[in-house]
Amino acid sequence: MEGQMGDIDGVAEAADGVWSGFEELRHAVLRSSELAGSLAGAGEERRALDAALVRELVGAGLLRTGVSRSVGGVQAPPSVMLRAAESVARGDASAGWFVAIAMTSSLLSAYLPPEGAGEVFGDPRSTAVGVWSPTACARAVDGGVVVSGRWTFCSGVSHADWLFAGCVLEAADGPAETAGPELRVVAVPTSQLSILDTWNTIGMRGPGSHDCEADEVFVPGHRILSVVDGLPAGAEALYRFPLFGFFAAAVAAAALGNARGAMDDLKVLAAVKKPFGSGRSLAERTRTQTAVAQAEASLRAARLLFYRSVDDAWRAAREGAPVPDAVRVGLRLAAAHAARTAAEVTASMYELGGGSAIYGMSPLQRRFRDAHTMTAHAQIKSAMYEVAGKFLLGLPLRTGLL
């Protein structure tokens, strides 16, 4: 990983102290990225991450960097967490995606009651993933709720111990006529769920983002939380950082890492490939040099905006007051822009690869498919530009989920 294209950014970040206090974690990230890259093809073929890679990610603590210190977590700053996901995705987008989803879910340790946080995250090897869309129903019973329903896109669920799952809490006396639905997230052991083999996609196959079903599963009250009713009481700075904004940023970080990995892969190919009838390598051709330089500029600019926006939100969260709407919108805009730019850069590297890139053995075709699977995610879809545009034009906008 060291010395490859784009590492100038990593050198600058080390000098600026981004990883200060988390040097051991950074070394674990680099090891995990290298291992992920070596196992990427096998993971895609099996539609599951390699067990050795999962053990490495779990053992290094990369899947729970947002866990509160109150239950033994490292409670890393957003910039460290996001760079970890980005770096692992540079090795393999599927692995980086799994890290991104798990670290986002680990933030919910501060949203659970203490007893629930201890149960879910007290074991230092415990891993949680999440689908917060309320596509299941919860019925109130003594001591908690009983949940039934189905969730799609449960990324990493086959590799996790817990699923944070969204549901609608049914009113005890029937549906309310005036109030909106009560939305809750429940923490359920994956052993109590049916995992349905539905993840047959063109890209991002490794996380195994299958559907899950719950059939009358009891969830005690200490494992129920809300992600829409405001911050936990006395929340520390990490948990005042916009939660949905972090979710979008984590997805975008994986996209940025995948794009950087595509540039790495193109560099390797360009050094040895000689187009038919030419005595010059692909790297020696003017068209390649121009396209790579343009891609580098685009990716680096999008990445700078992205981490600047993350730092803006982190600074606001540390000040204690609610993060301003302008900062929230800026974070979501930067995340969407980073992910879309990353997909464009990846596509350009795939096109430069020519006929060599279309074969299954080429990592460039996997990078291309992964990039365009990631951009389908709701958190970074192009519709976010419309949301940001409304805000910039002074039009009414609901910012509660930003």
Side-chain angles (χ1 to χ4, degrees):
M1 185 68 66
E2 299 293 347
Q4 289 186 326
M5 190 186 306
D7 278 340
I8 186 173
D9 291 339
V11 172
E13 287 165 2
D16 290 343
V18 172
W19 291 92
S20 179
F22 297 93
E23 291 82 1
E24 184 176 345
L25 183 65
R26 181 171 185 266
H27 291 309
V29 166
L30 294 176
R31 290 195 308 270
S32 297
S33 180
E34 184 175 355
L35 180 60
S38 69
L39 296 172
E44 180 177 63
E45 184 177 347
R46 289 194 298 266
R47 293 183 298 124
L49 298 176
D50 190 275
L53 174 59
V54 175
R55 286 195 299 271
E56 175 69 24
L57 295 173
V58 170
L62 298 185
L63 306 176
R64 41 185 290 124
T65 47
V67 171
S68 170
R69 282 189 290 267
S70 66
V71 286
V74 299
Q75 203 169 313
S79 60
V80 169
M81 296 172 68
L82 295 170
R83 283 176 171 86
E86 179 190 13
S87 296
V88 175
R90 184 175 180 176
D92 173 37
S94 288
W97 185 275
F98 178 42
V99 171
I101 297 300
M103 65 169 48
T104 302
S105 299
S106 73
L107 294 170
L108 298 185
S109 61
Y111 285 71
L112 282 167
E115 182 181 356
E119 183 178 354
V120 175
F121 292 109
D123 183 341
R125 299 184 64 84
S126 179
T127 299
V129 294
V131 178
W132 305 344
S133 299
T135 56
C137 292
R139 184 179 74 256
V141 296
D142 287 344
V145 296
V146 171
V147 179
S148 294
R150 180 167 175 166
W151 302 271
T152 58
F153 303 111
C154 301
S155 296
V157 67
S158 299
H159 306 301
D161 305 294
W162 296 87
L163 179 72
F164 283 105
C167 54
V168 177
L169 181 61
E170 296 179 350
D173 54 353
E177 295 183 0
T178 56
E182 289 191 55
L183 306 181
R184 295 292 183 268
V185 172
V186 295
V188 184
T190 54
S191 60
Q192 295 182 12
L193 300 170
S194 297
I195 300 175
L196 310 177
D197 189 356
T198 56
W199 193 243
N200 292 287
T201 57
I202 65 166
M204 294 298 296
R205 296 175 183 172
S209 303
H210 303 292
D211 290 10
C212 285
E213 278 189 342
D215 182 13
E216 295 289 289
V217 174
F218 173 73
V219 180
H222 62 263
R223 283 199 265 116
I224 303 172
L225 61 95
S226 172
V227 295
V228 297
D229 289 346
L231 296 170
E236 296 183 70
L238 178 60
Y239 311 108
R240 292 197 298 270
F241 191 96
L243 181 61
F244 287 92
F246 186 96
F247 189 2
V251 172
L256 286 170
N258 183 59
R260 178 57 66 194
M263 295 192 73
D264 293 339
D265 295 334
L266 188 279
K267 181 181 179 181
V268 172
L269 176 64
V272 298
K273 177 177 180 177
K274 291 185 178 180
F276 182 75
S278 174
R280 294 183 299 164
S281 69
L282 188 61
E284 294 171 321
R285 296 173 68 88
T286 302
R287 173 176 173 268
T288 305
Q289 296 160 3
T290 300
V292 167
Q294 290 173 335
E296 179 68 30
S298 295
L299 186 60
R300 194 174 297 190
R303 188 174 184 273
L304 285 171
L305 172 64
F306 174 75
Y307 282 111
R308 170 62 184 271
S309 299
V310 170
D311 289 343
D312 288 345
W314 179 231
R315 189 178 305 109
R318 294 176 70 183
E319 290 175 353
V323 177
D325 287 346
V327 175
R328 292 172 178 270
V329 172
L331 177 61
R332 296 303 299 271
L333 177 60
H337 178 66
R340 311 306 291 192
T341 301
E344 293 167 2
V345 166
T346 305
S348 70
M349 296 301 101
Y350 170 81
E351 291 171 3
L352 284 174
S356 301
I358 68 174
Y359 288 93
M361 68 182 69
S362 170
L364 284 171
Q365 53 81 27
R366 185 183 68 251
R367 296 286 190 184
F368 177 84
R369 291 184 286 101
D370 287 348
H372 290 84
T373 302
M374 282 191 276
T375 54
H377 197 282
Q379 292 292 337
I380 54 172
K381 287 201 299 186
S382 57
M384 186 50 59
Y385 288 113
E386 178 184 346
V387 173
K390 285 182 177 179
F391 181 83
L392 293 170
L393 292 167
L395 299 176
L397 179 67
R398 294 178 60 187
T399 60
L401 297 182
L402 293 179

